[in-house]
Amino acid sequence: MNRISKSFLSTVMCMLLLLSISVTAFGAGLTGSGTEKDPYLITSAADLDAFSAAVAAGDKFSGKYVSLQTNVAVSSAFIPVGTAATPFAGVFLGNGNSLTGFNMNRDYAGVFAYTDGAEISDLSVAGTFRATDYAGAVVAFAINTVIDGCTASASVSAKNYAGGVAGYIESGKISGCTVSSRTPIIGTGSYCGGIAGYSGAVIEKCSNSTVIFGAEKVGGIAGSSAGDILGCTNVATITASSSYLGGIAGYLEGAVINSMNKGNVSSNGTGVG
């Protein structure tokens, strides 16, 4: 009897373990297998919530593909994708579709809170993203991440690290992205930019037409850039209350190549360019 009981208990534990793995490692019940030819499909707000929950539960989606199949208005329960412990590391295909209805007021505010080794493409985002630190319509905090062909029409504000696309991107690339909103991007502390608050990545062929109000390190493309900026355009008015303000980058350690500022630039501090 003891042996039977132990065997039964072992079987139950194995089943529970497999169930746990299926929730985290196999797309949280999303349709698809996560391959390039058969990606996990997101067709509703519930799917988006399940995807976020799976990442939070421990699945980084490394090497996996997630595809947004239609425009989705997010649920009020949506939590940004990725955590410090489990950043999203897969490929997210927006397919030209949009995610709308965001109304966030939390640190690391964005569709994705944390990414590391991720690729995000062809996604449109609209809504409100407020934070004390790290706010970006697409990604709040990114490492080694590629963001391509995304558009943002969003209200973004933070004390530190506010960007139309990314609040902070340490490395990787932002390319072909457009930020256009009637609501200004606001940074009350440091690092506020039309595309990125802080960028250590390459930013190329991006444009910003959203008014920016910042304090220190404020730029039409990047508040501060350690990476190169190529072929980018800013047409919006930029205002800083402190120092380091630029039509393209407020504080620059990389290079600016073939880029243009057409917006008015004004500051009460030093370091205006």
Side-chain angles (χ1 to χ4, degrees):
M1 195 67 157
N2 259 350
R3 289 181 182 176
I4 294 173
S5 297
K6 287 179 180 178
S7 175
F8 175 74
L9 182 59
S10 177
T11 301
V12 170
M13 289 178 68
C14 286
M15 289 175 68
L16 288 173
L17 179 60
L18 287 171
L19 179 61
S20 172
I21 291 173
S22 70
V23 170
T24 59
F26 299 119
L30 299 175
T31 299
S33 59
T35 65
E36 185 174 4
K37 292 184 178 180
D38 184 31
Y40 294 127
L41 303 182
I42 293 179
T43 62
S44 66
D47 287 345
L48 191 66
D49 289 343
F51 165 52
S52 178
V55 179
D59 187 354
K60 296 181 179 181
F61 282 70
S62 299
K64 299 173 187 175
Y65 290 75
V66 181
S67 179
L68 181 64
Q69 295 295 288
T70 187
N71 299 332
V72 172
V74 301
S75 74
S76 58
F78 176 75
I79 296 173
V81 180
T83 68
T86 57
F88 177 67
V91 177
F92 189 92
L93 307 169
N95 298 309
N97 294 308
S98 63
L99 295 175
T100 61
F102 295 99
N103 187 16
M104 289 188 191
N105 190 356
R106 50 159 290 159
D107 283 351
Y108 300 93
V111 176
F112 294 85
Y114 293 86
T115 63
D116 188 351
E119 296 180 27
I120 303 162
S121 64
D122 302 319
L123 175 66
S124 294
V125 180
T128 299
F129 302 88
R130 298 179 297 269
T132 299
D133 294 317
Y134 304 102
V138 179
V139 183
F141 187 97
I143 299 172
N144 190 28
T145 294
V146 174
I147 306 168
D148 180 64
C150 293
T151 62
S153 179
S155 172
V156 178
S157 60
K159 180 178 180 181
N160 300 305
Y161 304 103
V165 174
Y168 175 103
I169 180 166
E170 182 176 289
S171 53
K173 181 186 286 188
I174 303 177
S175 62
C177 292
T178 302
V179 175
S180 177
S181 176
R182 293 181 180 180
T183 306
I185 297 169
I186 298 173
T188 58
S190 297
Y191 306 103
C192 180
I195 301 297
Y198 171 84
S199 172
V202 171
I203 302 178
E204 64 178 6
K205 297 178 181 177
C206 293
S207 63
N208 172 60
S209 59
T210 299
V211 172
I212 301 170
F213 293 105
E216 183 180 53
K217 295 179 180 174
V218 184
I221 300 299
S224 178
S225 179
D228 294 343
I229 299 174
L230 303 89
C232 293
T233 303
N234 172 69
V235 298
T237 298
I238 309 163
T239 304
S241 59
S242 184
S243 54
Y244 300 111
L245 168 71
I248 299 298
Y251 187 86
L252 182 67
E253 296 176 275
V256 173
I257 302 168
N258 295 330
S259 297
M260 182 181 301
N261 173 56
K262 297 180 180 180
N264 294 324
V265 177
S266 63
S267 172
N268 295 326
T270 60
V272 180

